Amino acid sequence: MAHKGTSAFIMQRATAAVLIPLAIWFLVAVVSHLGADYEAARAWLARPLNAGLMALFVIIGAWHMRIGFEEIIADYIHSSVRKTLSALNWLITISIIAGVLWAVYNISFAG
Amino acid sequence: MATSAQSSRPLSPHLQIWRFTATMAASITHRGAGLVLYGGSMLIALWLYALAFSPALYAGVAGFVKGPIGFVIVAGYVWSLCFHLMNGLRHLYWDSGRGFALNTARMTAWLVYIASFIAAAIVLWAGYSAMGA
């Protein structure tokens, strides 16, 4: 994170601000579909607005969470484990973003 | 490799040295909730993956959510999201340079704990009672 403090600080706040309405949407929408069966859940997520908001929530959330976890690493880990954790943090973030985009794309366009 | 230059850098004070106050608890809880949401994001990705590619896995996830362990995980995620969201508003307010007076900070810390429990309870009650219907 060396020399990236300012941009990380700004991105953390910017993503936080965008996540406020997205998180409220997520709480209301997803919790009301908690027990939905497969067909109903797919039909719900296939609607463009829901697909778009879900993708945004997870992607922006993943970016916010990567910054936050990097901060925890910087605060508490000073050993060689630090680089491993940081790499793992990137890997998990990218995996979540790629996986969710792929899944939402498939649900939206697979009919 | 921890060189002497690295190891002599200051480390953040560890969790156990603080006297208990609401503001300190909220700060630690904010990070703890963030970690829960980190794990939750992976589970949401799994849920979406199942919804896209595997009806069998989706059925397993949907069944698990209805069970006691599933409820604890969902409730933990929902409360963590409510808390992190509300305490995040506190942080953004601080970024504007306001809200630092000790009494204000203490009061908003308690407010976030109480409001996040109420919000999470409402969301969970609505979610699980709709599910039973």
Side-chain angles (χ1 to χ4, degrees):
Chain A
M1 284 275 284
H3 310 298
K4 294 199 175 136
T6 307
S7 66
F9 181 93
I10 292 168
M11 276 306 284
Q12 187 173 44
R13 270 66 182 179
T15 50
V18 179
L19 282 167
I20 296 168
L22 287 174
I24 293 171
W25 168 81
F26 181 84
L27 280 171
V28 174
V30 171
V31 168
S32 62
H33 289 82
L34 255 184
D37 62 42
Y38 185 75
E39 294 304 324
R42 269 189 81 105
W44 176 78
L45 201 60
R47 285 158 62 186
L49 181 68
N50 296 332
L53 289 173
M54 177 63 86
L56 280 178
F57 175 69
V58 177
I59 293 164
I60 298 172
W63 203 254
H64 183 81
M65 131 203 143
R66 186 196 66 77
I67 297 170
F69 193 66
E70 203 65 43
E71 207 175 87
I72 293 175
I73 297 171
D75 275 355
Y76 290 113
I77 314 287
H78 268 202
S79 64
S80 55
V81 184
R82 185 176 180 162
K83 277 184 179 157
T84 312
L85 280 176
S86 189
L88 202 61
N89 190 24
W90 271 103
L91 184 70
I92 292 171
T93 303
I94 300 298
S95 306
I96 288 175
I97 291 174
V100 165
L101 279 179
W102 192 36
V104 171
Y105 174 84
N106 267 276
I107 292 166
S108 296
F109 298 107
Chain B
M1 185 183 72
T3 65
S4 58
Q6 276 177 326
S7 55
S8 63
R9 286 181 188 169
L11 201 61
S12 281
H14 275 271
L15 302 181
Q16 64 273 19
I17 74 160
W18 302 96
R19 178 171 56 87
F20 184 88
T21 61
T23 49
M24 140 286 200
S27 174
I28 294 169
T29 307
H30 192 71
R31 279 207 164 164
L35 287 174
V36 170
L37 296 173
Y38 197 113
S41 296
M42 293 194 264
L43 294 179
I44 290 166
L46 178 72
W47 178 72
L48 290 172
Y49 175 86
L51 189 57
F53 304 111
S54 171
L57 181 60
Y58 181 87
V61 172
F64 183 73
V65 161
K66 292 174 185 169
I69 300 170
F71 175 78
V72 169
I73 291 174
V74 171
Y77 179 87
V78 167
W79 178 71
S80 296
L81 186 55
C82 290
F83 185 92
H84 204 84
L85 178 64
M86 291 174 182
N87 203 50
L89 291 174
R90 226 169 134 236
H91 273 275
L92 291 174
Y93 187 62
W94 286 335
D95 286 346
S96 74
R98 289 167 289 182
F100 286 114
L102 192 54
N103 278 329
T104 310
R106 195 180 288 139
M107 194 191 72
T108 52
W110 280 111
L111 195 66
V112 163
Y113 273 108
I114 295 165
S116 64
F117 271 113
I118 294 172
I122 292 172
V123 166
L124 288 167
W125 174 78
Y128 275 85
S129 59
M131 200 160 80

